[in-house]
Amino acid sequence: MASPERNRTDRLFPGARGVGYAVVLVVCLLTVIPLAYMISLSLQSDGEILAGNPVLWPAHLHFDNYQRLFGEVPYARFFVNSTVMAGTITIAHLILDPLAGYAFAKFSFPFKRTLFIAVLATLMVPFFVRMIPVYVLFSQLGWLNTYQGLVVPFLCDAYGIFLMRQFLAALPDELIDAGRADGAGELRIFARIILPQAKPALAVLALFTFVFQWNNFLWPLLATSTTDMRTMPVGLTMFNQEYFTQWNLTAAGAVVLFVPTAVLFFFTQRYLVRGVALTGLK
Amino acid sequence: MVATVERAAAVAPVRRRAPMRRRQARTALAFLAPALLFFALLFFYPLLRELYTSVFTGPRADVYAGLGNYTKAFDDPVARHAFWVTVQYGLGVVVGAIVLGLVLAVILNQRMRGRSVFRGILLVPYLTSIAIVGLLWRNILDPDTGILNRVLHSVGLPTQNLLAEHPLATLVAVAIWQQVGYTTVLFLAGLQGIPELYYEAAEVDGASVWRRFRHVTLPLLAPTTLFVSVIGVISAMQEFALPYLVTQGGPDNASDLYVYQVWKTAFGFRDFGYASALSYLLLIVILVLSLVQLKVGQRGES
């Protein structure tokens, strides 16, 4: 595929290649510097974050800000809440999305087309439309400030089902027939034969679901009001008072929220890039 | 007699297949049941309930108002203002992200050292929580405590107060900062789908690099561009966290994005009926945009 013609811009004008490099480099620096500054901010003293005296890098590295973060607010609890929320939702997706996707990919049943369109139609229903009625419903159920309240609105989605259907439709029917000939039950065929084949698609699905729910801001803000049920993205705003913001602790909290996704990204970049590209190829 | 046996033998497998098909249908519906139950209870029911609530008024949304909330929305200067601000915001984010994303994708589509590292770096903000993005930029841009003014000052540039002077444009810039990596990756995928053959043909015809870009790359990227712009506008029009975290919609409602206004109407002013009507109106706009994309996208395919 790769051919020498790939270096086309060279003939755009002399030095086009160098300019291209420079543009990418500048944009990357503009991307990295604010995030690096967040780390710097998280290590600054209370004096350094005061008005009128911002510094690029602290005179002393105040790692104790991280101790304060876990001491002055229940940030460890927020961490647990975020993990429970993102983790539970991811597991639910890993079960429900392939189950439904498999049914659409490999079975024939009445109203299949209608049901598939109904599922796809939910892609057009933005969260802000569900926000008010689900909030009202959950407050009637007494589900605000509970884990089920945080988790239930996101248990599966049409995007995941669509992704799994596309992937599983490409698997040969013989796999399933062989399982049936061996006398395996349908659930067993799904769990033992289909799911293992779907690992690459499941990895993309799990990564995206986890990262998006880990970062989710709007719903935890709405569905929780007690301190002990806040998640990290919402907990970050607690240092944010009307006249004064404890910016160093906010930044420390942001780093704790950021690092797991950054690590995950570092190890799974190829999957994530492929997944992002997939969202555009529908 | 023989014929009957033969016929029976021919029919038998069909007979056996019929219950099997029913069994298949039962299995499929059992596998689908959790997802369908979920969509019914957490998508379609809320959608209907929101529509129902939108014809009521009062703090408990129990006074019937007919279409009152909808007519009110069209006359309400606050809601109209929020809508136009949101349209400007959406267009700003999409145009900015597309232009910058396309430039970056074209550059990164060449063989160059560190290509995948650059692409990875560009994607990081997209995977960073909007809570971090919003708070971080609010800190950096703060006229008193922010680092930007310190940096500007040290290189002899005048100080800025962007969040007070150009709140909407600043939020647009922050959103582009977060999203440009996503747009770049989508364009990169689109570029890689263009067969090398087309470029070779254009080159044989003596087309310049710029002409090749205009007449080969751009038209063949049209489906990607359409997808990126419609999806981009739709998601930008739902932005809530940036005004909530960075500007509180201010100053003077200059960055009062629509969903933030819906949020205030529902959970600040406790007017659930009006907030539901406002939600439905934006939903209609978004549905129209989605359908346009579907129609145009289908025409592009055939």
Side-chain angles (χ1 to χ4, degrees):
Chain A
M1 274 302 263
S3 85
E5 292 307 312
R6 275 285 145 113
N7 296 329
R8 296 185 282 276
T9 41
D10 252 353
R11 274 157 290 153
L12 193 58
F13 54 86
R17 202 173 154 74
V19 173
Y21 236 116
V23 169
V24 170
L25 217 59
V26 167
V27 176
C28 283
L29 281 176
L30 286 176
T31 302
V32 169
I33 290 172
L35 294 168
Y37 179 67
M38 169 175 87
I39 296 170
S40 154
L41 198 57
S42 77
L43 299 170
Q44 293 181 11
S45 70
D46 287 353
E48 282 164 323
I49 59 156
L50 282 180
N53 190 28
V55 291
L56 269 178
W57 194 254
H60 301 283
L61 300 180
H62 283 268
F63 285 104
D64 55 306
N65 285 343
Y66 287 88
Q67 277 172 350
R68 292 167 64 195
L69 175 70
F70 289 101
E72 289 176 19
V73 290
Y75 210 74
R77 174 78 197 216
F78 299 167
F79 191 99
V80 170
N81 292 343
S82 281
T83 311
V84 170
M85 179 181 175
T88 312
I89 291 171
T90 305
I91 292 169
H93 274 252
L94 286 178
I95 299 167
L96 300 181
D97 292 354
L99 260 180
Y102 176 50
F104 282 125
K106 292 294 182 193
F107 289 80
S108 55
F109 50 92
F111 303 112
K112 179 172 166 175
R113 213 183 125 73
T114 316
L115 287 173
F116 191 56
I117 290 172
V119 168
L120 285 190
T122 65
L123 283 174
M124 293 191 211
V125 181
F127 185 69
F128 75 86
V129 182
R130 303 198 286 143
M131 158 180 101
I132 298 169
V134 173
Y135 172 86
V136 173
L137 176 67
F138 282 16
S139 76
Q140 286 163 348
L141 290 171
W143 280 13
L144 299 179
N145 294 308
T146 64
Y147 284 119
Q148 65 268 33
L150 283 173
V151 160
V152 166
F154 309 104
L155 287 178
C156 68
D157 70 15
Y159 170 69
I161 292 174
F162 184 76
L163 182 79
M164 295 314 299
R165 189 198 83 129
Q166 297 304 86
F167 191 88
L168 295 177
L171 291 183
D173 289 339
E174 285 73 24
L175 274 177
I176 305 163
D177 293 338
R180 285 193 187 130
D182 285 350
E186 294 290 341
L187 200 59
R188 200 184 155 83
I189 293 174
F190 170 75
R192 293 289 162 84
I193 300 174
I194 300 298
L195 275 189
Q197 294 288 328
K199 269 183 196 155
L202 290 172
V204 170
L205 182 64
L207 274 170
F208 271 88
T209 309
F210 188 85
V211 170
F212 276 92
Q213 294 304 333
W214 180 261
N215 290 337
N216 195 340
F217 179 71
L218 175 49
W219 181 244
L221 177 69
L222 191 50
T224 65
S225 54
T226 59
T227 305
D228 66 332
M229 284 311 291
R230 293 296 208 189
T231 60
M232 281 190 287
V234 180
L236 280 184
T237 62
M238 285 181 55
F239 309 101
N240 202 331
Q241 271 91 47
E242 199 165 342
Y243 298 104
F244 174 71
T245 300
Q246 192 84 40
W247 281 116
N248 47 0
L249 298 191
T250 306
V255 170
V256 173
L257 172 63
F258 175 74
V259 164
T261 44
V263 171
L264 203 61
F265 177 60
F266 184 79
F267 287 110
T268 58
Q269 213 203 103
R270 270 192 18 238
Y271 279 119
L272 276 168
V273 170
R274 204 185 305 154
V276 167
L278 264 180
T279 64
L281 295 177
K282 274 184 266 185
Chain B
M1 186 63 189
V2 175
T4 327
V5 171
E6 265 172 22
R7 208 178 301 143
V11 164
V14 178
R15 276 232 188 101
R16 227 182 298 130
R17 213 174 293 146
M20 189 172 136
R21 192 173 295 160
R22 211 173 308 140
R23 209 175 56 214
Q24 266 210 30
R26 226 181 301 137
T27 309
L29 289 174
F31 283 1
L32 274 176
L36 294 181
L37 195 67
F38 170 81
F39 289 122
L41 292 179
L42 286 136
F43 273 85
F44 293 107
Y45 167 70
L47 209 56
L48 291 175
R49 174 126 174 201
E50 178 117 299
L51 188 62
Y52 179 74
T53 310
S54 75
V55 295
F56 287 89
T57 188
R60 287 205 200 89
D62 53 3
V63 182
Y64 182 70
L67 291 177
N69 286 322
Y70 291 92
T71 49
K72 180 178 161 191
F74 283 98
D75 292 332
D76 180 357
V78 175
R80 291 166 63 134
H81 173 77
F83 181 74
W84 288 117
V85 166
T86 304
V87 169
Q88 290 171 39
Y89 173 84
L91 290 177
V93 172
V94 163
V95 171
I98 283 184
V99 171
L100 192 54
L102 188 56
V103 168
L104 291 169
V106 168
I107 297 170
L108 287 174
N109 194 36
Q110 305 166 85
R111 271 188 305 171
M112 66 190 286
R113 204 184 284 266
R115 192 177 117 152
S116 63
V117 176
F118 289 138
R119 189 183 57 188
I121 289 174
L122 290 174
L123 259 187
V124 169
Y126 179 66
L127 302 167
T128 304
S129 178
I130 191 72
I132 296 179
V133 173
L135 290 171
L136 182 60
W137 281 103
R138 193 178 117 195
N139 173 266
I140 291 173
L141 296 170
D142 189 290
D144 299 323
T145 58
I147 193 71
L148 183 59
N149 269 341
R150 174 82 189 259
V151 172
L152 290 176
H153 199 241
S154 69
V155 294
L157 288 169
T159 56
Q160 55 77 34
N161 193 357
L162 288 171
L163 283 175
E165 285 157 16
H166 307 286
L168 191 62
T170 308
L171 291 193
V172 167
V174 170
I176 293 173
W177 180 83
Q178 188 185 30
Q179 285 165 29
V180 74
Y182 174 68
T183 316
T184 305
V185 169
L186 289 183
F187 275 126
L188 266 174
L191 284 172
Q192 271 146 24
I194 300 178
E196 197 64 32
L197 209 70
Y198 289 17
Y199 289 107
E200 283 161 18
E203 202 167 10
V204 169
D205 289 346
S208 69
V209 175
W210 169 246
R211 283 181 65 87
R212 263 180 273 158
F213 179 73
R214 269 224 41 199
H215 296 290
V216 178
T217 311
L218 276 189
L220 287 170
L221 273 186
T224 310
T225 314
L226 175 78
F227 175 83
V228 172
S229 27
V230 178
I231 294 294
V233 168
I234 288 176
S235 76
M237 289 186 89
Q238 298 174 42
E239 184 57 63
F240 161 79
L242 284 184
Y244 176 86
L245 289 165
V246 186
T247 60
Q248 286 79 52
D252 279 338
N253 291 334
S255 59
D256 189 24
L257 295 187
Y258 197 90
V259 173
Y260 181 58
Q261 182 59 40
V262 170
W263 162 282
K264 279 192 293 186
T265 307
F267 304 109
F269 312 136
R270 293 270 148 185
D271 193 346
F272 285 105
Y274 188 40
S276 299
L278 288 175
S279 294
Y280 248 84
L281 289 171
L282 186 62
L283 174 67
I284 291 167
V285 173
I286 285 177
L287 285 182
V288 169
L289 285 173
S290 307
L291 292 177
V292 166
Q293 193 219 343
L294 276 180
K295 278 271 174 284
V296 180
Q298 270 167 2
R299 205 190 312 150
E301 269 164 36
S302 61

